[in-house]
Coordinates of all heavy atoms in Angstrom, one line a residue:
M1 N 131.0 114.5 85.6 CA 132.0 114.5 86.8 C 131.5 115.3 87.9 O 131.1 116.5 87.7 CB 133.4 115.1 86.2 CG 134.4 115.3 87.3 SD 135.9 116.2 86.7 CE 136.4 115.1 85.4
D2 N 131.5 114.7 89.1 CA 131.2 115.5 90.3 C 132.4 116.0 90.9 O 133.5 115.4 90.9 CB 130.5 114.5 91.3 CG 129.1 114.1 90.8 OD1 128.4 114.8 90.1 OD2 128.7 113.0 91.2
F3 N 132.4 117.2 91.4 CA 133.5 117.8 92.1 C 133.0 118.8 93.1 O 131.9 119.2 93.1 CB 134.5 118.4 91.2 CG 133.9 119.6 90.4 CD1 134.0 120.9 90.9 CD2 133.2 119.5 89.2 CE1 133.4 122.0 90.3 CE2 132.6 120.5 88.6 CZ 132.7 121.8 89.1
I4 N 134.0 119.2 94.0 CA 133.6 120.2 95.0 C 134.6 121.4 94.7 O 135.7 121.1 94.3 CB 133.7 119.8 96.4 CG1 135.1 119.3 96.9 CG2 132.7 118.7 96.7 CD1 135.3 119.1 98.3
H5 N 134.2 122.5 95.1 CA 135.0 123.7 95.0 C 135.4 124.1 96.4 O 134.6 124.2 97.3 CB 134.2 124.9 94.4 CG 134.6 126.2 94.7 ND1 134.0 127.1 95.4 CD2 135.8 126.8 94.3 CE1 134.7 128.2 95.6 NE2 135.8 128.1 94.9
V6 N 136.7 124.3 96.7 CA 137.2 124.7 97.9 C 138.0 125.9 97.8 O 138.8 126.1 96.8 CB 138.2 123.6 98.5 CG1 138.7 124.1 99.8 CG2 137.4 122.3 98.7
N7 N 137.7 127.0 98.6 CA 138.4 128.3 98.6 C 139.4 128.2 99.7 O 139.1 128.0 100.8 CB 137.4 129.4 98.7 CG 138.0 130.7 98.6 OD1 138.6 131.3 99.6 ND2 138.0 131.2 97.4
V8 N 140.7 128.3 99.3 CA 141.7 128.2 100.3 C 142.1 129.6 100.7 O 142.3 130.5 99.9 CB 143.0 127.5 99.7 CG1 144.1 127.5 100.8 CG2 142.7 126.1 99.3
W9 N 142.2 129.8 102.1 CA 142.4 131.1 102.6 C 143.4 130.9 103.8 O 143.2 130.2 104.7 CB 141.1 131.7 103.1 CG 141.2 133.2 103.1 CD1 141.8 133.9 104.1 CD2 140.7 134.1 102.2 NE1 141.7 135.3 103.9 CE2 141.0 135.4 102.7 CE3 140.0 134.1 101.0 CZ2 140.7 136.6 102.0 CZ3 139.7 135.2 100.4 CH2 140.0 136.5 100.9
E10 N 144.5 131.7 103.8 CA 145.4 131.6 104.9 C 145.8 133.0 105.4 O 146.6 133.7 104.7 CB 146.7 130.9 104.5 CG 147.4 131.4 103.4 CD 148.8 130.8 103.2 OE1 149.3 130.3 104.1 OE2 149.3 131.0 102.1
T11 N 145.3 133.4 106.4 CA 145.6 134.7 107.1 C 145.3 134.6 108.5 O 144.7 133.7 109.0 CB 144.8 135.9 106.5 OG1 143.5 135.7 106.8 CG2 145.0 136.1 105.0
R12 N 145.7 135.7 109.2 CA 145.4 135.7 110.7 C 143.9 135.7 111.0 O 143.5 135.1 111.9 CB 146.1 136.9 111.3 CG 146.4 136.8 112.7 CD 147.4 137.8 113.2 NE 146.9 138.3 114.4 CZ 147.2 139.5 114.9 NH1 148.1 140.3 114.3 NH2 146.9 139.8 116.1
H13 N 143.2 136.4 110.2 CA 141.7 136.5 110.4 C 141.0 135.8 109.2 O 140.1 136.3 108.6 CB 141.3 138.0 110.4 CG 142.0 138.8 111.5 ND1 141.7 138.6 112.8 CD2 143.0 139.7 111.4 CE1 142.5 139.4 113.5 NE2 143.3 140.1 112.7
A14 N 141.5 134.6 109.0 CA 141.0 133.8 107.8 C 139.6 133.7 107.7 O 139.0 133.9 106.6 CB 141.7 132.4 107.7
R15 N 138.9 133.3 108.7 CA 137.4 133.1 108.6 C 136.7 134.3 108.2 O 135.9 134.2 107.2 CB 136.9 132.5 109.9 CG 135.5 132.2 109.9 CD 135.0 131.5 111.2 NE 133.5 131.4 111.3 CZ 132.9 130.5 110.6 NH1 133.5 129.6 109.8 NH2 131.5 130.4 110.7
A16 N 136.9 135.4 108.9 CA 136.1 136.6 108.5 C 136.5 137.1 107.1 O 135.6 137.5 106.4 CB 136.4 137.7 109.6
E17 N 137.7 137.1 106.8 CA 138.1 137.6 105.5 C 137.6 136.6 104.3 O 137.1 137.1 103.3 CB 139.6 137.7 105.4 CG 140.1 138.8 106.2 CD 141.7 139.0 106.2 OE1 142.3 138.5 105.2 OE2 142.2 139.6 107.1
A18 N 137.7 135.3 104.5 CA 137.2 134.4 103.5 C 135.6 134.5 103.4 O 135.2 134.5 102.2 CB 137.5 133.0 104.0
L19 N 134.9 134.7 104.5 CA 133.5 134.8 104.3 C 133.1 136.1 103.6 O 132.2 136.1 102.8 CB 132.8 134.8 105.7 CG 132.8 133.4 106.4 CD1 132.3 133.5 107.8 CD2 132.1 132.3 105.6
A20 N 133.9 137.1 103.9 CA 133.6 138.4 103.2 C 133.9 138.3 101.7 O 133.1 138.8 100.9 CB 134.4 139.6 103.9
F21 N 135.0 137.7 101.4 CA 135.4 137.6 100.0 C 134.3 136.7 99.2 O 133.9 137.1 98.1 CB 136.8 136.8 99.9 CG 137.2 136.6 98.5 CD1 137.9 137.5 97.8 CD2 137.0 135.3 97.9 CE1 138.4 137.2 96.5 CE2 137.5 135.1 96.6 CZ 138.2 136.0 96.0
A22 N 133.9 135.6 99.8 CA 132.9 134.8 99.2 C 131.6 135.5 99.0 O 130.9 135.3 98.0 CB 132.7 133.5 100.0
D23 N 131.3 136.4 99.9 CA 130.0 137.1 99.8 C 130.1 138.1 98.7 O 129.2 138.3 97.9 CB 129.7 137.8 101.2 CG 128.4 138.6 101.2 OD1 127.4 137.9 100.8 OD2 128.4 139.7 101.6
V24 N 131.2 138.9 98.6 CA 131.4 139.8 97.6 C 131.4 139.2 96.2 O 130.7 139.8 95.3 CB 132.8 140.6 97.8 CG1 133.2 141.4 96.5 CG2 132.7 141.5 99.0
W25 N 132.0 138.1 96.0 CA 132.1 137.5 94.7 C 131.0 136.4 94.5 O 131.0 135.7 93.5 CB 133.4 136.8 94.5 CG 134.5 137.8 94.4 CD1 135.4 138.3 95.3 CD2 134.8 138.6 93.2 NE1 136.2 139.2 94.8 CE2 135.9 139.4 93.5 CE3 134.2 138.6 91.9 CZ2 136.4 140.4 92.6 CZ3 134.7 139.5 91.0 CH2 135.8 140.4 91.3
N26 N 130.0 136.3 95.5 CA 129.0 135.3 95.4 C 129.5 133.9 95.2 O 129.0 133.2 94.3 CB 128.0 135.7 94.3 CG 126.6 135.0 94.4 OD1 126.2 134.6 95.5 ND2 125.9 134.9 93.3
I27 N 130.4 133.5 95.9 CA 131.0 132.2 95.8 C 130.4 131.2 97.0 O 130.5 131.7 98.1 CB 132.5 132.2 96.0 CG1 133.1 133.0 94.8 CG2 133.1 130.8 96.1 CD1 134.6 133.3 95.0
A28 N 129.8 130.2 96.6 CA 129.2 129.3 97.5 C 130.0 128.0 97.6 O 130.7 127.6 96.5 CB 127.8 128.9 97.1
G29 N 130.1 127.3 98.7 CA 130.8 126.1 98.8 C 131.7 126.1 100.0 O 131.9 127.1 100.7
P30 N 132.4 125.0 100.2 CA 133.3 124.9 101.4 C 134.4 125.9 101.3 O 134.9 126.2 100.2 CB 133.8 123.4 101.2 CG 132.9 122.7 100.4 CD 132.3 123.7 99.4
I31 N 134.8 126.3 102.4 CA 136.0 127.2 102.5 C 137.0 126.6 103.5 O 136.6 126.2 104.6 CB 135.6 128.6 103.1 CG1 134.6 129.3 102.1 CG2 136.8 129.5 103.3 CD1 134.0 130.6 102.6
L32 N 138.2 126.3 103.0 CA 139.2 125.7 103.7 C 140.0 126.9 104.4 O 140.6 127.7 103.7 CB 140.1 124.9 102.9 CG 141.4 124.3 103.5 CD1 141.0 123.3 104.6 CD2 142.2 123.6 102.5
L33 N 140.0 126.9 105.7 CA 140.8 127.8 106.5 C 142.1 127.2 106.7 O 142.2 126.3 107.6 CB 140.1 128.3 107.7 CG 138.7 128.9 107.5 CD1 138.0 129.2 108.8 CD2 138.8 130.1 106.6
D34 N 143.2 127.7 106.1 CA 144.5 127.1 106.2 C 145.3 128.0 107.0 O 146.3 128.6 106.4 CB 145.0 126.8 104.8 CG 146.4 126.1 104.8 OD1 146.7 125.4 105.8 OD2 147.0 126.2 103.8
E35 N 145.1 128.3 108.2 CA 145.8 129.3 109.0 C 147.3 129.0 109.2 O 148.1 129.9 109.4 CB 145.1 129.5 110.3 CG 143.7 130.1 110.1 CD 142.8 130.1 111.4 OE1 142.6 129.1 112.0 OE2 142.4 131.3 111.7
T36 N 147.7 127.8 109.1 CA 149.1 127.4 109.2 C 149.8 127.5 107.9 O 151.0 127.6 107.8 CB 149.3 126.0 109.8 OG1 148.8 125.1 108.8 CG2 148.7 125.8 111.1
G37 N 149.1 127.5 106.8 CA 149.7 127.5 105.4 C 150.1 126.1 105.0 O 150.6 126.0 103.8
D38 N 149.9 125.1 105.8 CA 150.4 123.7 105.4 C 149.7 123.2 104.1 O 150.4 122.6 103.2 CB 150.2 122.8 106.5 CG 151.1 123.1 107.7 OD1 152.1 123.8 107.6 OD2 150.8 122.6 108.8
Y39 N 148.4 123.3 104.0 CA 147.7 122.8 102.9 C 148.1 123.6 101.6 O 148.3 123.0 100.5 CB 146.2 122.8 103.1 CG 145.4 122.1 102.1 CD1 145.5 120.7 102.1 CD2 144.6 122.8 101.1 CE1 144.7 120.0 101.1 CE2 143.9 122.1 100.2 CZ 143.9 120.6 100.2 OH 143.2 120.0 99.3
A40 N 148.2 124.9 101.7 CA 148.5 125.7 100.6 C 149.9 125.3 100.0 O 150.1 125.2 98.9 CB 148.5 127.2 100.9
A41 N 150.8 125.1 101.0 CA 152.2 124.7 100.6 C 152.2 123.3 99.9 O 152.9 123.1 99.0 CB 153.1 124.7 101.9
A42 N 151.4 122.4 100.4 CA 151.3 121.1 99.8 C 150.8 121.1 98.4 O 151.2 120.3 97.6 CB 150.5 120.2 100.7
L43 N 150.0 122.0 98.1 CA 149.4 122.2 96.8 C 150.2 123.1 95.9 O 149.9 123.3 94.7 CB 148.0 122.7 96.8 CG 146.9 121.7 97.4 CD1 145.6 122.4 97.5 CD2 146.9 120.5 96.6
G44 N 151.3 123.7 96.5 CA 152.1 124.7 95.7 C 151.4 126.0 95.5 O 151.8 126.8 94.6
I45 N 150.5 126.4 96.3 CA 149.8 127.6 96.2 C 150.6 128.7 96.9 O 151.0 128.6 98.0 CB 148.4 127.6 97.0 CG1 147.5 126.5 96.3 CG2 147.8 128.9 97.0 CD1 146.2 126.2 97.0
T46 N 150.9 129.8 96.1 CA 151.8 130.8 96.6 C 151.0 132.1 96.9 O 151.6 133.0 97.5 CB 152.9 131.1 95.6 OG1 152.2 131.5 94.4 CG2 153.8 129.9 95.4
G47 N 149.8 132.2 96.6 CA 149.0 133.4 96.9 C 147.5 133.0 97.2 O 147.0 132.0 96.7
V48 N 146.9 133.7 98.1 CA 145.6 133.4 98.5 C 144.8 134.7 98.4 O 145.4 135.8 98.5 CB 145.4 132.8 99.9 CG1 146.0 131.4 99.9 CG2 146.1 133.6 100.9
P49 N 143.5 134.7 98.2 CA 142.8 133.5 98.1 C 142.9 132.9 96.8 O 143.4 133.4 95.8 CB 141.3 134.0 98.2 CG 141.3 135.4 97.6 CD 142.7 135.9 98.0
T50 N 142.7 131.6 96.7 CA 142.7 130.8 95.5 C 141.6 129.7 95.6 O 141.1 129.4 96.6 CB 144.1 130.2 95.2 OG1 144.1 129.8 93.8 CG2 144.4 129.0 96.1
N51 N 141.3 129.2 94.5 CA 140.2 128.1 94.4 C 140.9 126.8 94.0 O 141.8 126.8 93.2 CB 139.2 128.5 93.4 CG 138.4 129.7 93.9 OD1 137.7 129.7 94.9 ND2 138.6 130.8 93.2
V52 N 140.4 125.7 94.6 CA 140.8 124.4 94.4 C 139.6 123.6 94.0 O 138.5 123.6 94.7 CB 141.5 123.7 95.6 CG1 141.9 122.3 95.3 CG2 142.7 124.6 96.0
L53 N 139.6 122.9 92.8 CA 138.5 122.1 92.4 C 138.9 120.7 92.7 O 140.0 120.2 92.2 CB 138.1 122.3 90.9 CG 137.7 123.7 90.6 CD1 137.5 123.9 89.1 CD2 136.4 124.0 91.4
V54 N 138.1 119.9 93.4 CA 138.4 118.5 93.8 C 137.4 117.6 93.3 O 136.1 117.9 93.5 CB 138.5 118.4 95.4 CG1 138.9 117.0 95.8 CG2 139.4 119.5 96.0
D55 N 137.7 116.5 92.6 CA 136.7 115.6 92.1 C 136.1 114.7 93.2 O 136.5 114.8 94.4 CB 137.2 114.8 90.9 CG 138.2 113.7 91.3 OD1 138.3 113.3 92.4 OD2 138.9 113.3 90.3
A56 N 135.1 113.9 92.9 CA 134.4 113.2 93.8 C 135.3 112.1 94.5 O 135.0 111.6 95.6 CB 133.2 112.4 93.1
R57 N 136.4 111.8 93.9 CA 137.4 110.8 94.6 C 138.4 111.5 95.4 O 139.3 110.9 96.1 CB 138.2 110.1 93.5 CG 137.2 109.2 92.6 CD 137.9 108.5 91.5 NE 138.7 109.6 90.8 CZ 139.0 109.5 89.5 NH1 138.6 108.6 88.8 NH2 139.6 110.5 89.0
G58 N 138.3 112.9 95.6 CA 139.2 113.6 96.4 C 140.5 114.0 95.7 O 141.4 114.5 96.4
I59 N 140.5 113.9 94.4 CA 141.8 114.3 93.6 C 141.6 115.7 93.2 O 140.6 116.2 92.7 CB 141.9 113.4 92.4 CG1 142.0 111.9 92.8 CG2 143.0 113.8 91.5 CD1 142.0 110.9 91.7
V60 N 142.6 116.5 93.5 CA 142.7 117.9 93.1 C 142.8 118.0 91.6 O 143.7 117.4 91.0 CB 143.9 118.7 93.8 CG1 144.0 120.1 93.2 CG2 143.7 118.6 95.3
R61 N 141.9 118.7 91.0 CA 141.8 118.7 89.5 C 142.2 120.1 89.0 O 142.7 120.2 87.8 CB 140.4 118.4 89.0 CG 139.8 117.1 89.4 CD 140.7 116.0 88.7 NE 140.6 116.2 87.3 CZ 140.0 115.5 86.4 NH1 139.2 114.5 86.8 NH2 140.1 115.9 85.1
A62 N 142.1 121.1 89.8 CA 142.6 122.5 89.3 C 142.8 123.3 90.5 O 142.2 123.2 91.5 CB 141.4 123.1 88.4
V63 N 143.8 124.2 90.4 CA 144.2 125.1 91.4 C 144.4 126.5 90.8 O 145.0 126.6 89.7 CB 145.5 124.7 92.1 CG1 145.9 125.7 93.1 CG2 145.4 123.4 92.7
G64 N 143.8 127.5 91.4 CA 143.9 128.8 90.8 C 142.5 129.5 90.7 O 141.7 129.4 91.6
A65 N 142.3 129.9 89.5 CA 141.0 130.5 89.1 C 140.4 131.4 90.2 O 139.5 131.0 91.0 CB 140.0 129.3 88.9
V66 N 140.9 132.6 90.4 CA 140.6 133.5 91.5 C 139.3 134.3 91.1 O 138.4 134.4 92.0 CB 141.7 134.5 91.8 CG1 141.3 135.5 92.8 CG2 142.9 133.6 92.2
T67 N 139.1 134.8 90.0 CA 137.9 135.5 89.7 C 136.7 134.6 89.2 O 137.0 133.5 88.9 CB 138.1 136.5 88.4 OG1 138.3 135.7 87.2 CG2 139.4 137.4 88.7
P68 N 135.5 135.1 89.4 CA 134.4 134.2 89.0 C 134.4 133.8 87.5 O 134.2 132.6 87.3 CB 133.2 135.2 89.2 CG 133.6 136.1 90.3 CD 135.1 136.3 90.0
A69 N 135.0 134.6 86.7 CA 135.1 134.2 85.2 C 136.1 133.0 85.1 O 135.9 132.1 84.4 CB 135.5 135.3 84.4
E70 N 137.3 133.1 85.8 CA 138.3 132.1 85.7 C 137.7 130.8 86.4 O 138.0 129.7 85.8 CB 139.5 132.5 86.5 CG 140.3 133.6 85.8 CD 141.4 134.2 86.7 OE1 141.3 134.1 87.9 OE2 142.3 134.8 86.1
L71 N 137.0 131.0 87.5 CA 136.4 129.8 88.1 C 135.4 129.1 87.2 O 135.4 127.9 87.0 CB 135.8 130.2 89.4 CG 135.2 129.1 90.3 CD1 136.2 128.0 90.6 CD2 134.5 129.6 91.5
E72 N 134.6 129.9 86.6 CA 133.6 129.3 85.6 C 134.2 128.5 84.5 O 133.8 127.5 84.1 CB 132.6 130.4 85.2 CG 131.5 129.8 84.2 CD 130.6 130.9 83.8 OE1 130.5 132.0 84.3 OE2 129.9 130.6 82.7
Q73 N 135.3 129.2 84.0 CA 136.0 128.5 82.9 C 136.7 127.2 83.3 O 136.6 126.2 82.6 CB 137.1 129.5 82.3 CG 137.9 128.9 81.2 CD 139.0 129.9 80.7 OE1 139.3 130.8 81.3 NE2 139.6 129.6 79.6
A74 N 137.2 127.2 84.5 CA 137.8 126.0 85.0 C 136.7 124.9 85.2 O 137.0 123.7 84.9 CB 138.6 126.2 86.3
V75 N 135.6 125.3 85.7 CA 134.6 124.3 86.0 C 134.0 123.8 84.6 O 133.8 122.6 84.5 CB 133.4 124.9 86.8 CG1 132.1 124.0 86.8 CG2 133.8 125.3 88.2
R76 N 133.8 124.6 83.7 CA 133.4 124.2 82.4 C 134.4 123.2 81.7 O 134.0 122.2 81.1 CB 133.1 125.3 81.4 CG 131.9 126.1 81.8 CD 131.6 127.3 80.8 NE 130.5 128.1 81.2 CZ 129.3 127.9 81.0 NH1 128.9 126.9 80.4 NH2 128.4 128.8 81.4
A77 N 135.7 123.5 81.9 CA 136.6 122.6 81.3 C 136.6 121.2 81.9 O 136.7 120.2 81.2 CB 138.0 123.3 81.4
L78 N 136.5 121.2 83.2 CA 136.4 119.9 83.9 C 135.2 119.1 83.6 O 135.2 117.9 83.4 CB 136.5 120.1 85.4 CG 137.9 120.6 85.9 CD1 137.8 120.9 87.4 CD2 138.9 119.5 85.7
L79 N 134.1 119.9 83.5 CA 132.8 119.2 83.1 C 132.8 118.7 81.7 O 132.0 117.7 81.4 CB 131.6 120.1 83.3 CG 131.3 120.5 84.8 CD1 130.2 121.5 84.9 CD2 130.9 119.2 85.6
S80 N 133.6 119.2 80.8 CA 133.6 118.8 79.4 C 134.5 117.6 79.2 O 134.5 117.0 78.1 CB 134.0 119.9 78.5 OG 135.4 120.2 78.7
E81 N 135.2 117.1 80.2 CA 136.2 116.0 80.1 C 135.4 114.7 80.0 O 134.3 114.5 80.5 CB 137.1 115.9 81.4 CG 138.1 117.0 81.3 CD 139.1 116.9 82.5 OE1 139.0 115.9 83.3 OE2 140.0 117.7 82.6

């Protein structure tokens, strides 16, 4: 299964904070800057940062997984399907 990892971030200084967070946790991949909070609300995300795993068809497969260990577990679970 192919998927992309998107890190959703919604704050006033979203870009700088998201890049710093990704650097600290060594997270690579697209970062969605949701400065209005609309995308987070549509996904039911109540806290950020959070990670969203999206499959190759654009379907959201997992939401959450904030720490690297949680993210790795979510990725492994999706790859084993």
Side-chain angles (χ1 to χ4, degrees):
M1 170 188 305
D2 291 329
F3 64 90
I4 62 168
H5 157 249
V6 178
N7 186 274
V8 178
W9 202 283
E10 58 165 342
T11 65
R12 201 165 140 200
H13 303 287
R15 182 174 173 74
E17 291 180 22
L19 291 174
F21 179 85
D23 187 49
V24 166
W25 291 102
N26 197 27
I27 296 172
I31 297 174
L32 173 63
L33 301 177
D34 186 23
E35 293 173 304
T36 66
D38 293 340
Y39 191 69
L43 292 176
I45 296 170
T46 58
V48 292
T50 195
N51 294 292
V52 179
L53 298 175
V54 182
D55 71 17
R57 297 175 307 211
I59 298 171
V60 174
R61 300 294 307 252
V63 176
V66 176
T67 69
E70 292 169 338
L71 182 58
E72 182 177 343
Q73 182 181 10
V75 169
R76 287 183 188 276
L78 289 173
L79 291 175
S80 69
E81 289 182 359

